[in-house]
Structures are given as C-alpha cells and as structure tokens.
Amino acid sequence: MAPGGHRQGEIVNVTAFKAGDVTVGGGSLVVIAGPCLAESLAMCEQVAGTMQEVCGRLQLPYIFKASFDKANRTSAGSQRGAGMAAGLEILATVKQKFGLPATTDVHLPEQCGPAAEVVDLLQIPAFLCRQSDLLEAAATTGKAVNVKKGQFLAPHDTANIVAKLQSFRASGIMLTERGTSFGYNTLIVDFPGLEVMRNQGVPVCFDATHSAQRPGAAGTATGGVRESIPAMARAAVAVGIDALFLEVHPDPANALSDAATQWPLDRAEELLTSLVRLRESL
C-alpha cells in the first residue's frame, strides 16, 4: 500500500485548484512553460504568444512561466535575472497582453506577497521545498502553491510537504518531480514515484527540462542532455500526470541560464503533439 492509503497504480482523485482561469487537476494536461529567466519583455512575449497558439491548437490549458531571479545558480558569476520589480513587471505585462495565468518561483518569505499580487501560482524551488517559513508565506497569500520535490527526497517524503501546506491552509497544492540525485552530476527520475506523490491527493507535475540536467557538470554551470526530454515526458504522461513543466527558449544555446536543457521554442509543437497523441491512446 502506498503512502496516503491508496494502492500504487490505482487512479486517485486529487483536489483540483484554479490558477487564473486554468483548472489544475481537473482531467486536462496543463502545460506550464516559458523561459528560465525573464530575460526581456520582448522575448517573454515571443514565448508566451507562441506557446499560447500551440497549446490552443492542441486544446491544452496553458500557464506562462518565467523567473525574476535565480538565487540557486552554480556560480556567483552566473546571470540571476532582472530582479523582482523588473521581473514582475514583465510577468504582469505578459499576463495582461495575452490573458494568461502565470507562475514564478520565490526564494524568500518576503517575496511571496509581491509575487502573489501578479502571478496565479507560486513555485517553491526544489532546494527550498522543506523551508517551513517559505511554505507558510506562500500559502498565506491565498494563491496556490507548486512545490518542486527536492533532489534529495524520496517520493513518499512529499507527504510532509503536503501536510505542512494543508496546516497553513494553502488554497491549492501541487507537487512537481524534477529528478533525484544519483551520484555525482547525475539525476534520475523515479517514474513510479509520480504515482506515490499523486497518492497524497494533490495534482502532480513533471518537470521535463530540469530532469534532463546534470548539476554542476559544466564546471561553473549546470549541464544536461536536452534530447532526453521527449522520452522522459512520454514516460511521465504514460504514468499519469496533471501538468507538464517545460522551460522553452527561442535560442537555447544563448539563454542566460539553463542553456543545456531549455527546449527550443520552434520544437514545442512537435513535442506537445506527440504527448497529446500518446495521452489519447491510453
């Protein structure tokens, strides 16, 4: 019996929530996609507009994603972003122009309030998934909270994260798988663990791009294997997920962060089309 009292493999009803006008956990495969960093308004508008069109054609609910700051970079010299004020202004402009819900990650409790005034879903980075003060600050904004499972946690350990957020009366909870540390510079994905996480009664997301990373493998930056993304995404869809997280960029090789694993924007429709076909065949 899996944690939560459910047998692994059985279909579990999860507690759905709203992120803007998108229902997460309601039966549709929600796409959360955008660049790692909000590098510029023009680039974010390009990504948001393209992904909105692609997801519209495929009838996939879409949430735009971009970070205003990346506080967990490998090197102190790495690009962190435009900062909270400028980054949130970009997110607000994209939301208004395209009518999209948006999400961003927060690293400190004091960032939660200002971020929640703009975005519809607050994301907790994997390295910070057990930080009670951060989880509480995110939950008390009234916005739903998406927690990336730490690379150091077993899937069943996420029960404690869910319990914390429930005690803080979070309006919505989602867990995201993004790979588990396995030796030096290597991540693996425990696909049956997606079911274990979903057995907590909350929607589960698969982060296909960060799961392709090789942490620290590039010396002063994170490496990765971009071409492993489609296979992992197909496996996650086959297991059963509520949302798919992708970092997409018009020119990944020259991205200011996560250049090794951001998915090319011009290949997004190809990837998502294959996943829709797979999901329809299950």
Side-chain angles (χ1 to χ4, degrees), residues 254-270:
N254 291 303
L256 297 183
S257 63
D258 289 357
T261 54
Q262 293 202 63
W263 189 250
L265 181 62
D266 62 5
R267 295 177 63 192
E269 187 160 9
E270 162 200 335

Side-chain angles (χ1 to χ4, degrees), residues 73-140:
R73 302 307 306 278
T74 303
S75 167
S78 297
Q79 177 67 245
R80 285 186 54 167
M84 187 164 66
L88 289 178
E89 184 176 352
I90 289 174
L91 284 161
T93 302
V94 169
K95 280 190 57 174
Q96 183 177 18
K97 179 173 181 177
F98 297 98
L100 290 169
T103 185
T104 195
D105 39 0
V106 288
H107 301 85
L108 298 168
E110 54 266 32
Q111 293 177 341
C112 295
E117 293 179 5
V118 175
V119 302
D120 307 277
L121 176 66
L122 293 174
Q123 179 178 290
I124 306 299
F127 289 131
L128 302 176
C129 67
R130 292 176 56 176
Q131 296 296 103
S132 297
D133 290 346
L134 181 58
L135 292 172
E136 182 175 15
T140 55

